[in-house]
Amino acid sequence: MKRREFITLLCGAAVAWPLAVRAQQSTMPVIGFLTSSSPDAIPNLTSAFRRGLEEIGYVEGKDIAIEHRWAGSKYEQFKLLASDLVNRRVNIIFAGGGGAAATAAKAATTTIPIVFVSAGDPVALGLVASRNHPGGSITGISFLSSELEAKRLGLLHELAPDASLVAVLINPNFLDAAKHLRDVQEAARTLGLRLLVLNASSEREIDAAFATLVQKRAGALLVTADAFLFSRREQLVALAARNAIPTIYSYREFATAGGLASYATSLADAYRQAGIYTGSILKGEKPADLPVMQAIKFELVINLKTAKALGLTVPNTLLVAADEVIE
């Protein structure tokens, strides 16, 4: 073969190879990943979702592609982002932004399968007909949220027994906000505690809520479960430390960021299970035949370093019961 012919053949192969790769990628199933957070806020959860996919045989970039749509904790963006994924003609949508994301995804399509992770009751939210028989093209992972607020208040009372006035921070835009608040109020009556209810749905309102908390001299704080508040965990933990307020949170990520304590279902495990469900549907399972899975892994995390900084003595009963103690 002449040198010129060889060079021409080599250049042609170099062009054909990327084209072949792009062609292969274009035929991959595409997962639309819809969530209320931002890329840097939940790396452990996106990793858990990928891990679930890998457990069932799907590796991103090799077997599937993932299109991310981040609402940045602005619930009003879900409708637009869900419609965008439908127009992108993804093969399946994962709604990880709670009930608001799942509701928006369901409203956007009746044909594309949807897998959700939601803290609310999926039946009450109108997502599925029943937990065991979802019907339609949507199923997912449901975990206790409002039901755990009472437990969190009880744990906070053990951690800060001298606090008679306890502040409760809640996002009024959260779909289940009213139920969360009712559960906390009922638990407070049982424990003989007074509540200071603080609403916050923006960074500025969080700052204002802490100013009110300090002014009213609340002795402790409960941060309720919510995707927006979860995304602001660095801000919340810093404000609690600055104002020396014993605080209990909804997810372990708060405690690992320096918060006093957290008690909740494991979000990472829920996302992993959602990844498995997503892969199962890509393999041919029908969402209507996959019951809504109830997340059952709970975690009590206590940050002993933070407790010491606040001058608190953590009861031995809690240290023994904790799934993780951060020292």
Side-chain angles (χ1 to χ4, degrees):
M1 181 182 294
K2 294 181 179 180
R3 182 173 181 273
R4 180 179 297 176
E5 293 174 342
F6 175 76
I7 292 173
T8 301
L9 179 62
L10 183 62
C11 291
V15 172
W17 170 247
L19 289 174
V21 171
R22 287 197 294 271
Q24 180 185 7
Q25 289 177 335
S26 67
T27 61
M28 287 181 185
V30 179
I31 299 169
F33 191 100
L34 177 65
T35 185
S36 61
S37 196
S38 57
D40 58 341
I42 56 168
N44 61 320
L45 301 185
T46 54
S47 294
F49 180 74
R50 293 190 188 97
R51 189 162 62 250
L53 284 166
E54 291 171 4
E55 287 181 26
I56 203 164
Y58 287 101
V59 177
E60 184 181 9
K62 178 183 177 183
D63 309 295
I64 49 96
I66 301 178
E67 286 272 348
H68 293 274
R69 296 294 184 273
W70 308 92
S73 305
K74 297 179 180 178
Y75 292 162
E76 65 274 12
Q77 292 292 320
F78 282 132
K79 183 178 179 180
L80 178 63
L81 295 176
S83 296
D84 185 42
L85 288 174
V86 172
N87 292 334
R88 170 67 175 79
R89 296 183 180 179
V90 298
N91 297 86
I92 187 169
I93 295 175
F94 166 66
T103 299
K106 185 180 180 182
T109 179
T110 58
T111 57
I112 298 175
I114 299 166
V115 174
F116 62 79
V117 167
S118 175
D121 181 346
V123 178
L125 291 173
L127 296 176
V128 298
S130 73
R131 289 176 178 268
N132 291 331
H133 304 284
S137 59
I138 183 169
T139 188
I141 317 299
S142 175
F143 56 91
L144 296 173
S145 179
S146 66
E147 291 86 346
L148 297 182
E149 301 293 8
K151 175 68 174 179
R152 292 186 192 105
L153 186 62
L155 291 169
L156 181 60
H157 185 50
E158 291 186 62
L159 288 165
D162 295 333
S164 58
L165 176 63
V166 177
V168 179
L169 186 65
I170 194 163
N171 176 11
N173 295 332
F174 180 50
L175 289 178
D176 263 3
K179 186 177 189 312
H180 282 235
L181 185 55
R182 286 196 302 269
D183 287 352
V184 175
Q185 289 171 332
E186 183 176 342
R189 283 193 292 270
T190 301
L191 294 169
L193 298 174
R194 293 180 296 123
L195 290 184
L196 172 64
V197 179
L198 303 169
N199 292 318
S201 55
S202 70
E203 182 177 347
R204 181 179 299 178
E205 289 178 352
I206 289 176
D207 288 332
F210 269 85
T212 301
L213 178 154
V214 172
Q215 180 186 12
K216 299 291 186 180
R217 297 187 178 183
L221 171 65
L222 185 155
V223 176
T224 58
D226 167 63
F228 163 68
L229 295 176
F230 178 79
S231 73
R232 301 305 308 167
R233 58 188 178 277
E234 297 290 345
Q235 177 188 6
L236 289 164
V237 168
L239 285 168
R242 186 183 309 160
N243 293 285
I245 300 294
T247 307
I248 193 164
Y249 304 88
S250 50
Y251 301 110
R252 75 180 303 276
E253 286 80 4
F254 283 95
T256 57
L260 174 60
S262 66
Y263 181 72
T265 307
S266 169
L267 268 184
D269 191 61
Y271 270 65
R272 183 186 68 84
Q273 294 289 350
I276 294 173
Y277 257 20
T278 300
S280 298
I281 292 171
L282 289 175
K283 285 180 178 289
E285 293 277 2
K286 295 180 179 179
D289 297 331
L290 294 174
V292 174
M293 187 180 298
Q294 180 69 57
I296 57 174
K297 184 177 180 181
F298 300 97
E299 298 175 321
L300 170 61
V301 182
I302 296 174
N303 192 315
L304 204 56
K305 182 179 179 180
T306 301
K308 290 177 179 177
L310 291 169
L312 298 176
T313 300
V314 179
N316 287 331
T317 52
L318 291 186
L319 291 175
V320 172
D323 297 276
E324 182 179 356
V325 175
I326 299 171
E327 299 186 73

